[in-house]
Amino acid sequence: MWRWFFMVFTLFFTSAQAAELQGVGVFSTLEKPWFLTGLYTDKEQQPQRLEFRIVEEKITPYRFRQLWQQAFAVAHENDVWQQHQQDLEQFFSVLHGPLQTNDQLLVEQQDGSTVVSINYREHARLSEEFLPLLVQTLTARITLVPELREGLTGQQPAAEQRDLLRDYDRAQPSLGRIAETARWLRQRQQAASAASSASSSYSGSVGQL
């Protein structure tokens, strides 16, 4: 178990070195913090990664979706959600249970796509446009959480950034939690297999009519 964790952590650490941390902010609503958010960019200041480190005790899949719906409603026209609905639905579907304190959800550019990982394990690959869309949602001129925009773009006072960085660095999932969220992958695979079997059975039944 430790060897597997070390290998996975090394891969993520190497990836982190390829992009520079631009800033850290708190995604909060009504003064309730949900997760710390880090934005990583390349040398041309293009977004490469968004990392969310959970500070709330529990964020259910419903609440997670609701938070993003609110963020999109403030930052975008109504049709933007519809235009990216396939990516968004896949993004939300990676959660097969609530996110918990110190969980890490990573969204990064990789090989022409956007990779979504939870606690060091890849859970989905979305379109290349998805990461810039999320960054734009959080850093738009009119956005749900202006303080988050200031943190991600490096506009917060240095003392506040230091405090946020300290908390951000400390937020690490336990080995038990890593194993627990890894099981979400198997649950999704089993669900997909069951759906495929049901579809095949239905097609066979129709063919016999």
Side-chain angles (χ1 to χ4, degrees):
M1 179 67 175
W2 279 102
R3 178 179 295 180
W4 171 85
F5 174 75
F6 177 76
M7 291 174 61
V8 173
F9 178 79
T10 300
L11 288 173
F12 271 76
F13 181 79
T14 302
S15 175
Q17 300 308 300
E20 182 177 350
L21 182 62
Q22 177 79 13
V24 175
V26 182
F27 191 117
S28 61
T29 56
L30 300 177
E31 299 186 357
K32 181 180 182 63
W34 297 98
F35 34 79
L36 293 167
T37 307
L39 172 62
Y40 297 77
T41 60
D42 60 18
K43 294 180 180 179
E44 286 73 38
Q45 299 298 304
Q46 296 301 310
Q48 296 298 306
R49 301 173 62 194
L50 269 176
E51 189 160 337
F52 304 96
R53 301 192 178 188
I54 311 305
V55 296
E56 173 63 10
E57 181 179 355
K58 181 172 67 174
I59 303 177
T60 65
Y62 175 80
R63 173 62 69 183
F64 185 73
R65 182 189 185 98
Q66 187 180 55
L67 290 170
W68 282 106
Q69 286 176 326
Q70 293 172 355
F72 268 73
V74 173
H76 301 293
E77 299 293 335
N78 294 335
D79 61 343
V80 172
W81 184 278
Q82 297 299 324
Q83 292 172 8
H84 299 275
Q85 187 165 11
Q86 182 174 351
D87 275 342
L88 287 163
E89 292 301 332
Q90 192 173 354
F91 179 53
F92 298 133
S93 72
V94 302
L95 301 187
H96 282 251
L99 292 168
Q100 298 179 11
T101 306
N102 293 332
D103 278 349
Q104 296 183 5
L105 189 151
L106 174 70
V107 183
E108 69 174 334
Q109 296 280 33
Q110 191 178 113
D111 300 327
S113 61
T114 299
V115 175
V116 179
S117 302
I118 301 175
N119 293 336
Y120 312 116
R121 292 291 298 272
E122 179 181 323
H123 282 246
R125 283 185 176 257
L126 313 179
S127 71
E128 188 175 12
E129 296 77 22
F130 190 68
L131 173 61
L133 175 67
L134 293 190
V135 173
Q136 181 185 7
T137 303
L138 300 180
T139 61
R141 185 177 63 85
I142 301 176
T143 186
L144 179 65
V145 190
E147 295 82 2
L148 173 58
R149 178 190 60 211
E150 293 173 1
L152 296 181
T153 56
Q155 299 177 28
Q156 276 185 333
E160 292 184 26
Q161 272 290 294
R162 283 196 300 270
D163 290 342
L164 287 174
L165 279 170
R166 182 192 61 229
D167 295 339
Y168 182 79
D169 289 338
R170 288 176 176 174
Q172 302 290 337
S174 67
L175 287 176
R177 182 58 180 166
I178 292 171
E180 184 177 355
T181 53
R183 287 195 288 271
W184 293 355
L185 285 170
R186 292 196 295 273
Q187 293 173 7
R188 186 160 60 253
Q189 291 166 355
Q190 291 169 356
S193 178
S196 177
S197 298
S199 177
S200 298
S201 298
Y202 175 77
S203 298
S205 299
V206 171
Q208 294 174 4
L209 295 178

